[in-house]
Structures are given as C-alpha cells and as structure tokens.
C-alpha cells in the first residue's frame, strides 16, 4: 500500500510540474513587503445537498506574529476587487483561504511576490520571486487528487439532521463518524508519505500534522460534545500548551470549544448545574491557569464580544474592566474599544434621549435630527447587520428613496447593532456608507423611546410628519404600495 502511495505521489507531483504553463508576470521588487496579485475568479459559494447555495466569507484572510488574534481581510468575496495588494511590516504571514467547507493555509515571507490563480475551480498560489525544492503550495491539490474532493470535516446541522432522520439514527451516526475518522487517518498517512519522500518542507509538515489533529478534535467535540471532552480531558488539556498556534483558526476553534466544556464541567462540579452563559465562561477564563498567554488573550477577547452581544451593558462593563486588567495585547484592547464605542458608554445608559452616532463616530440625538429636518417627512428604517429580513428589504428601500429623492422626504436608517464594526461593514455592503443619514443607535434598548414604542422586532418603520410628530409607529415597509400613498398624502398637506 505504501509503495503504491509513493508511486501516486511521484506521478502527481511530476504531472503537475510538467503541465504548468508559463505565465509572463512582471516581477515586483518586494524586499520590504509581501506582494499579492490575482488572476481569475475567487469562489465563495458551495452547493450542498437539499439546500440552496451556501456562501462563505471572507474568502482570503491572513494572520501574523504581530497580530495572531484577528484575521485581516485580503478578499472578502467573489465581488471584491482583485487589485494587487502590498502587505508591509510583516516578516511572515499565514494565509487562510476558505475553500468549500475547509480552510487551506499558506505561509509567505517578507519579499515574496505571490500570484493567486483559479485552476478548475481550485485556489492555487505561486511564489514567483524564488524557487523551492519543496511542493508545499501544491499539497492541497495533490491531496484532493488522492483522497477525493468530497471530504468535509465540519460537523454541521444539515448533516446531523439528515443522520437523525435515518431509519436507525444512532447506527447511521456511528457509521458516519467512523468514516470521517478513517478519512483523517488516510490524510495523515498521505502527509507522512510526502514527508518521507521529502516532497514537502519540515515546517509545512508540522503545521499540516497539527491541522489534521485539531480538525479531528473539533469535529469530535462538535459531534460528541462534552462526553468526548470528559473522556479525553487529559489529552486535550495537554494541547493548551500549543500557544504559538493561536494564529491558526483550527486552534482558535479548539480553544473555544474546550473552554466552554471546561467551564461547564466546573459549574456542574460546584453546583450540580450545567447551565452556562458567556459571562460565567469569561470569569472562569480570567481565573484559570490552564491556558497560556496568547490563548487566554484570544479567549477573553472572544467571550467579551459574546457578552457585549448577548448580555446587559452592566455585564459588559464589569467584564471590560477585567479585560483591561488581564489582557496585554494593544491590538485587542483597541479593537474592543473601537468595536463597542467604549468611550461613549455614559450615553448608552441614558434613558431620556435617543442617542445616535454616525460612521465618523459623531454623536447627537434623534430629537436634534428631527428638529433639523422639520418641514420634511422623515421615514425611519430600523435594521441591523444580522437581520436577514432587514437586509432583504434594502433594495426596495433604495428604490423608494430614489423615487422621492427630489421631494421633501428624508430617509433615515438606524441600526440597533451593538458592534460598530459589523454595522460599518454591513453599511458598506448595502451602499449606505456614503449616506449622512445612516446612523447607529447608541442606547438601544435603554432609552424610554424604544420601550414606550415597544421596538423589539425589526425591520420596523416610523413616519414623522413635517412638524416633527410621529404619525406612524408601524409604517408600511418600502416594498408596499401603501407607503407611497402615505408619503404622497402627507407631502400634499
């Protein structure tokens, strides 16, 4: 078997090298930075059985030693401009390319000039300023030629629901898990053979070995849950010492899963209760010495975001104070400060006024906005980045806006996002980023205004008359004919 595998590997790599077409590419002087250029499409969509197309993004990101925690985006999706990019001040970066349901990693160094190509729907990277005797960049394509293209190791809801609907669900689940585990072992054997034949570098071999291991852990932690964790707790805890792997998403995912199970186990041991929330996990992480510095930084950062999104402002403020005391990364401290507008926390707890902020982080009140636009109708669209119906209604909202562009109607978009960054990104995607009337709610849901009008579900639309009076607190949506009738009626008053 091993002999046949060697023959396959030799042929695969030999064929790859013989069939390469020469491309004339201008060689850039890249001694002080890493240079990227792009040829062809960047795929961001996967057709899955029994469901519509699944999109995954961002497609191409990178981490580095200077910032191992937060992925920097190179290409968001297939609609992104494929402009050449220079990455400065980085000695080495780790590219993470999302392909179908798997992450593919590539390592590049300062001075590298890299070209991305799409070859038969598969992402291929080539370094054009230096040669290597190793074929690290060809590993994923060669692996798929050997193992096939349909092995996905993300245990997800669609697979689970399909297995549970089988005639014998537990047997189906066991067979599925056995098949996936077998695939992990086949990939390990394939990787070992490449290393034995010196087809790949030692550093690449070590990282791919770690990826296979943690992909397997993450799969089993998702599929079997806390039972798998408790049965293998000694082995899994040993992996916490791999602190240098924080720059890789497979290790971040492992940390998030195991931290949750550690906190649940401790909660159960102390109180007999397995109910848990992000704040309890966060407080466990502050006190524990199980994880190393970079891993703890990342986990506290991750769970502080969950507290901000899922819990109260007071919970966030208490946790943020701990964050300042225990996290030593300027990158993470600044990110949280900017993401959740910490400097404006005093406004978030006020109830008498509705405070809003624009993309330049200038804050004012809704009352000030209404007074400034008296003499005009004001149509308010309450939305959020995470609200699918809100986002679906945006094209109709833009059409309505265009229809009344020369009329005395002001279209105001107020997001109830808690995360400034997510709101900003969604605004750019919806082409709202250039609008001066695209604003973020600072003290939602604390303000009495929201409570009195019971603003709990979105999208929701308000209409103010020319006197600045709220005349419809459940105005028709932008797609309906009724809204045009209302606007025309009040314009003529």
């Amino acid at each position: 078997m091993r002999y046949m595998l060697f023959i396959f590997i030799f042929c695969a790599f030999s064929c790859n090298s013989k069939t390469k077409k020469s491309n004339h590419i201008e060689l850039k002087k890249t001694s002080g930075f890493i240079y990227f250029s792009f040829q062809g499409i960047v795929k961001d969509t996967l057709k899955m059985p029994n469901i519509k197309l699944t999109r995954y993004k961002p497609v191409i990101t990178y981490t580095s030693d200077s910032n191992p925690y937060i992925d920097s985006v190179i290409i968001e999706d297939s609609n992104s401009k494929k402009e050449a990019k220079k990455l400065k001040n980085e000695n080495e970066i780790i590219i993470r390319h999302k392909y179908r349901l798997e992450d593919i990693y590539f390592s590049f160094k300062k001075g590298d000039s890299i070209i991305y190509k799409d070859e038969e729907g598969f992402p291929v990277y080539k370094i054009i300023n230096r040669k290597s005797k190793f074929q690290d960049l060809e590993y994923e394509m060669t692996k798929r030629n050997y193992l096939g293209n349909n092995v996905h190791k993300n245990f997800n809801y669609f697979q689970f629901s399909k297995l549970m609907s089988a005639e014998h669900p537990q047997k189906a689940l066991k067979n599925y898990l056995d098949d996936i585990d077998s695939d992990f072992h086949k990939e390990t054997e394939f990787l070992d053979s490449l290393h034995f034949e010196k087809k790949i570098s030692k550093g690449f071999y070590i990282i791919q070995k770690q990826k296979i291991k943690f992909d397997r852990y993450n799969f089993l932690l998702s599929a079997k849950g806390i039972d798998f964790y408790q049965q293998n707790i000694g082995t899994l805890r040993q992996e916490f010492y791999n602190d240098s792997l924080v720059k890789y998403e497979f290790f971040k995912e492992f940390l998030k899963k195991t931290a949750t199970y550690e906190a649940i186990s401790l909660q159960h041991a102390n109180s007999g209760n397995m109910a848990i929330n992000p704040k309890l996990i966060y407080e466990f992480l502050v006190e524990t010495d199980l994880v190393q510095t970079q891993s703890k930084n990342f986990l506290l950062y991750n769970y502080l975001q969950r507290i901000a999104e899922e819990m109260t402002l007071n919970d966030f403020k208490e946790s943020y104070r701990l964050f300042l005391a225990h996290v030593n990364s300027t990158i993470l401290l600044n990110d949280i400060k900017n993401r959740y507008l910490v400097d404006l926390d005093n406004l978030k707890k006020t109830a008498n006024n509705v405070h809003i902020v624009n993309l330049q982080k200038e804050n004012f009140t809704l009352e000030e906005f209404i007074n400034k636009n008296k003499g005009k109708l004001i149509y308010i669209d309450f939305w959020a980045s995470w609200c699918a119906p809100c986002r679906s209604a945006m094209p109709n909202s833009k059409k309505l806006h265009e229809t009344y562009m020369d009329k005395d109607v002001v279209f105001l978009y107020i997001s109830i996002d808690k995360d400034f960054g997510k709101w900003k990104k969604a605004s750019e995607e919806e082409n709202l980023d250039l609008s001066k009337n695209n604003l973020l709610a600072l003290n939602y849901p604390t303000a009495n205004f929201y409570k009195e009008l019971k603003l709990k579900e979105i999208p929701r639309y308000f209409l103010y008359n020319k006197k600045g009076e709220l005349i419809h607190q459940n105005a028709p949506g932008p797609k309906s004919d009724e809204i045009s009738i209302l606007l025309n009626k009040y314009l003529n008053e």
Side-chain angles (χ1 to χ4, degrees), residues 243-392:
D243 206 39
S244 62
L245 294 178
V246 168
K247 68 183 77 169
Y248 295 95
E249 186 64 24
F250 57 77
F251 189 65
K252 290 187 176 87
E253 194 62 30
F254 172 79
L255 288 173
K256 288 186 286 186
K257 284 179 166 62
T258 50
T260 300
Y261 291 142
E262 281 285 349
I264 290 174
S265 299
L266 181 63
Q267 173 84 349
H268 183 255
N270 291 340
S271 65
N273 182 10
M274 295 186 74
I276 202 86
N277 63 50
K279 193 165 184 282
L280 288 174
I281 300 174
Y282 185 86
E283 290 168 350
F284 158 74
L285 289 167
V286 167
E287 299 297 329
T288 188
D289 58 0
L290 284 173
V291 292
Q292 306 299 297
T293 302
Q294 288 193 137
S295 297
K296 179 174 279 196
N297 284 345
F298 166 73
L299 285 168
L300 290 175
Y301 168 74
N302 176 74
Y303 280 100
L304 184 59
Q305 290 180 76
R306 286 192 54 188
I307 292 168
E309 297 287 341
E310 300 172 26
M311 305 189 74
T312 68
L313 178 60
N314 284 336
D315 288 327
F316 173 76
K317 292 176 75 172
E318 289 174 13
S319 302
Y320 180 66
R321 284 194 287 270
L322 291 173
F323 192 74
L324 292 175
H326 289 87
V327 171
N328 59 6
S329 166
T330 304
I331 289 171
L332 296 183
L333 292 170
N334 287 338
D335 184 82
I336 290 293
K337 182 180 178 181
N338 295 324
R339 187 182 292 269
Y340 297 107
L341 303 177
V342 173
D343 290 342
L344 299 177
D345 272 358
N346 287 336
L347 296 178
K348 295 177 187 177
K349 61 185 181 183
T350 59
N352 293 332
N353 289 310
V354 175
H355 290 281
I356 44 185
V357 64
N358 60 22
L359 284 167
Q360 290 71 46
K361 299 182 181 177
E362 299 165 336
N363 67 85
F364 41 94
T365 66
L366 179 60
E367 184 180 10
E368 289 171 338
F369 184 92
I370 292 170
N371 288 336
K372 185 179 178 181
N373 288 281
K374 277 187 177 179
K376 299 178 181 179
L377 303 180
I378 302 174
Y379 183 65
I380 303 181
D381 179 341
F382 287 97
W383 70 293
S385 65
W386 43 263
C387 172
C390 303
R391 304 288 294 269
S392 296

Side-chain angles (χ1 to χ4, degrees), residues 464-475:
Y464 285 77
N465 64 17
K466 293 178 181 180
K467 296 178 183 179
E469 299 167 336
L470 179 60
I471 51 175
H472 283 279
Q473 58 178 275
N474 287 291

